[in-house]
Amino acid sequence: MTGMTQGRSMPVPERRAELARGLRASLPVMIGFIPFALVLGAQASAKGLGALEVPILTGLNFGGGSEFAAIGLWTSPPHLLLIGGVTMLVNCRHLLMGAAFAPYLRHLPRRQVLPALFFMCDESWAMGLADARLGARAGRSQPFSLAYYLGVSIGLYATWVVFTALGALLGPVLGDITRYGFDMAFPAVFLVLLRGMWKSVRAAMPWAVSLAVAIAVYLLVPGAWYVPAGAVAGVLAACAWARP
């Protein structure tokens, strides 16, 4: 039996169990999503976006980093080329994330893979990849569980869209909600994910170089140049440290 056939023949109860397992696993991250989703919604509201426009933005571009960058650059009228360029640079990491996923997705048909990848964000990617690696070490015939990944992704996606919309509604009432410390949830979630993906100092060097360059450019150069600078520096560092 081929891998594709195995993927299609998973019994319905097993698929439901895997979906529920993904939802349960994503609950802590969903809770972590809520504060900075509210922050993004409130910031978007302050820039003039309404409670309908915000969930459209967050629903079509499911990537918090690029959305924060876009809202930070938003003006009236908006500089669309600048916002689009920065968004593309921030989201280009998804190329590498998709490449890391590719070996685990070969047994699935494209009509399943492509819609599933729409819901890929840093957190769902990290959790799906970690589960696939655990499955490979455990000897599962198909290490990657699409149902588990979708359970993680659906919960995160729904939380993000709903609470960014809620943030847009509450923003005018609450004012600057960063004074409550909600914005700290964003780096906190990423630090937890990075800790779970830690391999070695060598593997972390491109991240460190990207961070250092982005901070330096942010402090020294006005505008959003720290975004492309950090991205390019991280890619160059990864190429420099890559093993043959």
Side-chain angles (χ1 to χ4, degrees):
M1 181 181 291
T2 65
M4 185 180 296
T5 305
Q6 289 174 346
R8 290 175 177 174
S9 62
M10 179 183 287
V12 172
E14 186 176 342
R15 285 202 298 269
R16 289 176 178 171
E18 284 292 283
L19 191 72
R21 184 170 71 91
L23 280 170
R24 288 194 303 269
S26 68
L27 279 174
V29 184
M30 288 165 61
I31 295 171
F33 264 26
I34 293 173
F36 63 95
L38 292 172
V39 169
L40 178 63
Q43 290 180 353
S45 176
K47 290 295 183 81
L49 277 71
L52 178 62
E53 295 162 326
V54 170
I56 291 175
L57 166 69
T58 56
L60 293 177
N61 175 44
F62 185 37
S66 60
E67 290 163 357
F68 272 101
I71 294 302
L73 296 171
W74 196 270
T75 56
S76 183
H79 300 289
L80 296 179
L81 289 178
L82 174 62
I83 293 173
V86 170
T87 299
M88 183 185 69
L89 283 170
V90 175
N91 284 344
C92 69
R93 71 192 186 280
H94 286 233
L95 295 172
L96 299 177
M97 291 159 60
F101 249 164
Y104 298 102
L105 302 176
R106 290 173 181 163
H107 67 289
L108 296 170
R110 288 186 179 180
R111 68 174 183 274
Q112 293 181 6
V113 171
L114 295 179
L117 290 178
F118 171 79
F119 295 100
M120 185 177 71
C121 63
D122 298 284
E123 293 80 5
S124 61
W125 170 79
M127 294 179 69
L129 188 62
D131 185 71
R133 288 173 174 169
L134 286 174
R137 287 197 291 268
R140 290 202 305 244
S141 58
Q142 295 299 338
F144 179 76
S145 171
L146 180 62
Y148 169 84
Y149 167 81
L150 288 176
V152 171
S153 301
I154 290 170
L156 298 182
Y157 181 83
T159 302
W160 184 248
V161 173
V162 168
F163 281 93
T164 51
L166 185 60
L169 288 171
L170 296 179
V173 178
L174 298 178
D176 182 14
I177 62 174
T178 59
R179 68 179 184 269
Y180 303 116
F182 282 6
D183 51 330
M184 281 303 298
F186 193 57
V189 169
F190 275 98
L191 288 173
V192 171
L193 290 173
L194 288 174
R195 175 63 185 88
M197 297 177 66
W198 177 266
K199 291 183 178 180
S200 65
V201 173
R202 181 187 180 90
M205 288 306 296
W207 296 76
V209 170
S210 178
L211 176 62
V213 170
I215 291 174
V217 174
Y218 176 80
L219 294 174
L220 299 174
V221 181
W225 290 105
Y226 62 93
V227 176
V232 171
V235 170
L236 293 176
C239 292
W241 267 287
R243 299 183 186 275

